[in-house]
Amino acid sequence: VANARVLDESKVDTSKVLLLSRINIRNTKNNMKQSYLIVPESEANLKQGKISVASPFAQAFLGRKAGETVEVNVPAGKMTFEILSVER
């Protein structure tokens, strides 16, 4: 908390995936749509659709924008997702 800073949200690029962004994505292989909120590690809860910003899955999306295609390495291999929207 001693090093915490308050950010002016009007100066944050909300078009990019960041911490506390909600991403709506589509699996390009099976067209399944999913929605996730990227949260701090302590708040992660997959059943609630909250994924840790530190997870490899979330890391693959950070800094990306809607319309981009992202390849994610998963235990079963690589999966490709399209970012449908990014919300704050």
Side-chain angles (χ1 to χ4, degrees):
V1 178
N3 294 326
R5 295 185 324 199
V6 176
L7 296 175
D8 181 350
E9 197 163 326
S10 68
K11 294 180 182 175
V12 175
D13 185 351
T14 56
S15 68
K16 291 183 179 178
V17 178
L18 304 167
L19 179 65
L20 301 180
S21 292
R22 175 163 300 281
I23 57 171
N24 296 297
I25 59 175
R26 179 182 64 85
N27 182 320
T28 60
K29 188 172 185 178
N30 63 15
N31 282 329
M32 188 172 142
K33 294 180 182 176
Q34 299 164 296
S35 177
Y36 295 106
L37 181 63
I38 299 177
V39 298
E41 214 166 346
S42 62
E43 296 178 27
N45 183 328
L46 192 55
K47 288 181 182 175
Q48 294 178 355
K50 296 178 180 180
I51 57 173
S52 167
V53 68
S55 71
F57 190 83
Q59 290 282 314
F61 291 93
L62 291 178
R64 303 298 190 96
K65 296 183 176 190
E68 288 190 51
T69 301
V70 178
E71 252 189 20
V72 180
N73 290 318
V74 295
K78 288 187 179 184
M79 296 178 74
T80 305
F81 296 92
E82 177 189 2
I83 302 174
L84 301 175
S85 65
V86 179
E87 303 166 6
R88 291 282 297 168

